[in-house]
Amino acid sequence: MREDINKVVLAYSGGLDTSVILKWLQQNYGCEVVTFTADLGQGEELEPARAKAEMMGVKPEHIFIDDLREEFVSDYVFPMMRANALYEGLYLLGTSIARPLIAKRQIEIAREVGADAVSHGATGKGNDQVRFELGYYALAPDIKVIAPWREWDLTSRTKLIEFAEAHQIPVSKDKRGEAPFSTDANLLHTSSEGLVLEDPWAEVPDYVYSRTLSPEDAPDASESITIDFERGDPVAVNGEGLSPASLLARLNDLGRTHGIGRLDLVENRFVGMKSRGMYETPGGTILHLAHRAIEQLTLDRGAAHLKDELAPRYAELLYNGFWFSPEREMLQAAIDHSQTKVAGTVRLKLYKGGVHVTGRKSPYSLYSEKVVTFEDDQGAYDQRDAAGFIKLQALRLRLLGRRDR
């Protein structure tokens, strides 16, 4: 017995899957559907989604297409970058970080239009179903959630196309053949997975890459750039102040040109299985290394090492969908406190897939040439102090050694 749903807000891309979901919701729940399409910088024209939704009976006032690029970068990507978060040591979390913003805006729209349910197009095998729904429930504990992939019997692309054709839903030519892989894109990254990528021994075909030049085809000359930081966030590239979204787009362009940011990864999904995916994160890769470089100058050792302990936990929370959890917010508060004097300029060299830090400077630098120099430090550091320091550090080891000998 299906729940009585009057109005549902659907996360809608305008593609085959979510268009079929739109019609399926209308048919199976007999409810009014409100569509929400988020512009997160995926690089696609989104207005066709409006026309398609209207054609399928959605009222014009119930079609939401929102440009969320600045909010996405300033309120989600940058806080994550301040944490130096990498899932399983490698993945820059480009898909994971987009889901909480989409969920938040869906709930806002649901309240605005008086909807009693929300819906998404994530499958029952992946992480996104968890990320969306944990976001929904954190922000609206009593909201009803409809996940068609866990309910319907449309278990193949062929069945989706047959359903679309039976209900006069336009199907683009590239969807009629078996798709060679699936993609997700936003301003931070593009991810590709499935089908031709499912064998972890098989090399990723060249045609999968959409966001970066091959490092072999990148320019033979390196390019040097600078990134300026304030309170842990980038604010300028090559001395030019830019908004958060514009800055990330600029770094994406630089990374694309130099073949930067490709990652072939076998990861552990939250639902329990391993999956193989290919990620392209050109600007994010540059930004991650630049941020670590400015922290090298400005963070005290204790704070820096504690941050490195917290980063994997933060990344796992984000990957698993707990952006709105109290523990993520607690970690964020600690991380943001550490960033108050993370400011200055980093110089990097971009070359054939590589990002190399070549210099960093900061008005808050803790680096002292006077103390560290191999030349005469004029008493800034008394080397004789090291003897007592070492003996105290060695005391327990010496006691252990004497006992065990």
Side-chain angles (χ1 to χ4, degrees):
M1 183 71 180
R2 296 195 186 282
E3 292 184 79
D4 184 23
I5 303 294
N6 295 312
K7 190 180 293 183
V8 58
V9 179
L10 169 64
Y12 181 66
S13 70
L16 173 64
D17 292 21
T18 53
S19 294
V20 168
I21 288 172
L22 197 167
K23 178 59 70 175
W24 183 87
L25 288 169
Q26 292 170 332
Q27 282 192 339
N28 286 266
Y29 281 87
C31 61
E32 189 168 9
V33 179
V34 178
T35 64
F36 162 54
T37 306
D39 181 359
L40 299 179
Q42 54 265 53
E44 297 175 354
E45 175 57 49
L46 299 181
E47 280 304 314
R50 185 188 306 277
K52 200 167 186 180
E54 282 194 38
M55 181 201 73
M56 296 176 67
V58 180
K59 296 176 182 177
E61 64 270 24
H62 284 166
I63 299 172
F64 291 80
I65 299 178
D66 294 349
D67 185 348
L68 302 178
R69 288 174 292 179
E70 291 293 349
E71 183 180 1
F72 174 53
V73 180
S74 65
D75 295 355
Y76 293 81
V77 175
F78 281 3
M80 178 184 73
M81 288 289 176
R82 294 197 291 270
N84 298 327
L86 293 172
Y87 182 66
E88 297 186 336
L90 292 167
Y91 171 40
L92 281 161
L93 296 158
T95 296
S96 313
I97 192 61
R99 299 324 188 206
L101 175 55
I102 294 172
K104 178 178 82 76
R105 185 64 185 126
Q106 260 185 283
I107 294 299
E108 290 171 350
I109 292 170
R111 290 187 174 124
E112 184 178 331
V113 302
D116 46 8
V118 290
S119 182
H120 61 76
T123 73
K125 284 188 176 182
N127 297 303
D128 278 343
Q129 59 179 335
V130 183
R131 295 165 182 154
F132 281 129
E133 294 178 38
L134 290 180
Y136 299 151
Y137 290 132
L139 299 171
D142 298 320
I143 196 74
K144 297 182 179 71
V145 177
I146 304 173
W149 279 99
R150 302 202 299 256
E151 294 186 24
W152 65 20
D153 58 0
L154 303 175
T155 55
S156 70
R157 186 148 303 269
T158 299
K159 288 184 178 181
L160 286 176
I161 291 173
E162 288 173 353
F163 182 96
E165 290 177 337
H167 296 88
Q168 291 79 52
I169 301 170
V171 180
S172 61
K173 290 181 180 180
D174 65 327
K175 295 294 183 184
R176 293 185 180 277
E178 182 73 1
F181 57 93
S182 66
T183 63
D184 174 76
N186 57 48
L187 196 54
L188 181 56
H189 90 156
T190 298
S191 66
S192 303
E193 62 181 10
L195 297 166
V196 300
L197 300 175
E198 287 179 355
D199 178 359
W201 178 249
E203 186 173 356
V204 177
D206 287 341
Y207 61 77
V208 174
Y209 297 103
S210 62
R211 197 140 185 181
T212 52
L213 287 178
S214 166
E216 292 88 346
D217 297 331
D220 292 329
S222 64
E223 182 174 1
S224 287
I225 66 168
T226 61
I227 301 176
D228 296 338
F229 287 88
E230 293 178 5
R231 299 182 67 86
D233 289 342
V235 295
V237 175
N238 292 332
E240 180 185 356
L242 297 164
S243 73
S246 298
L247 186 144
L248 183 54
R250 178 72 56 82
L251 293 179
N252 280 336
D253 290 341
L254 291 163
R256 170 194 287 274
T257 298
H258 292 279
I260 290 164
R262 293 183 174 188
L263 174 64
D264 183 337
L265 179 66
V266 175
E267 70 199 60
N268 290 291
R269 286 183 182 170
F270 192 26
V271 295
M273 69 188 76
K274 288 185 183 290
S275 65
R276 190 269 189 105
M278 192 282 295
Y279 299 106
E280 294 176 274
T281 318
T285 299
I286 297 170
L287 183 54
H288 174 79
L289 291 169
H291 180 255
R292 296 218 62 145
I294 197 63
E295 283 191 329
Q296 291 164 12
L297 279 186
T298 56
L299 281 190
D300 168 75
R301 181 185 68 183
H305 290 188
L306 180 58
K307 272 197 81 224
D308 282 346
E309 292 178 36
L310 298 177
R313 175 66 171 145
Y314 183 106
E316 186 173 60
L317 286 170
L318 179 48
Y319 184 87
N320 292 345
F322 289 95
W323 177 263
F324 295 109
S325 68
E327 59 268 37
R328 200 281 307 176
E329 293 170 352
M330 287 171 63
L331 286 177
Q332 193 73 61
I335 288 161
D336 291 352
H337 179 74
S338 77
Q339 301 293 290
T340 54
K341 289 184 169 58
V342 177
T345 301
V346 178
R347 187 177 63 244
L348 309 110
K349 183 182 291 185
L350 314 179
Y351 183 66
K352 288 192 175 293
V355 184
H356 310 281
V357 176
T358 60
R360 69 285 269 169
K361 62 181 180 179
S362 170
Y364 303 112
S365 176
L366 294 171
Y367 181 89
S368 171
E369 289 184 55
K370 184 176 182 181
V371 170
V372 81
T373 181
F374 282 104
E375 301 301 324
D376 182 5
D377 63 18
Q378 298 177 341
Y381 179 89
D382 189 341
Q383 298 194 33
R384 291 170 296 187
D385 292 343
F389 172 79
I390 294 168
K391 284 187 176 179
L392 286 174
Q393 295 297 318
L395 177 59
R396 64 185 182 90
L397 302 178
R398 297 172 78 183
L399 291 170
L400 280 166
R402 287 170 184 154
R403 183 199 68 182
D404 295 342
R405 188 174 58 195

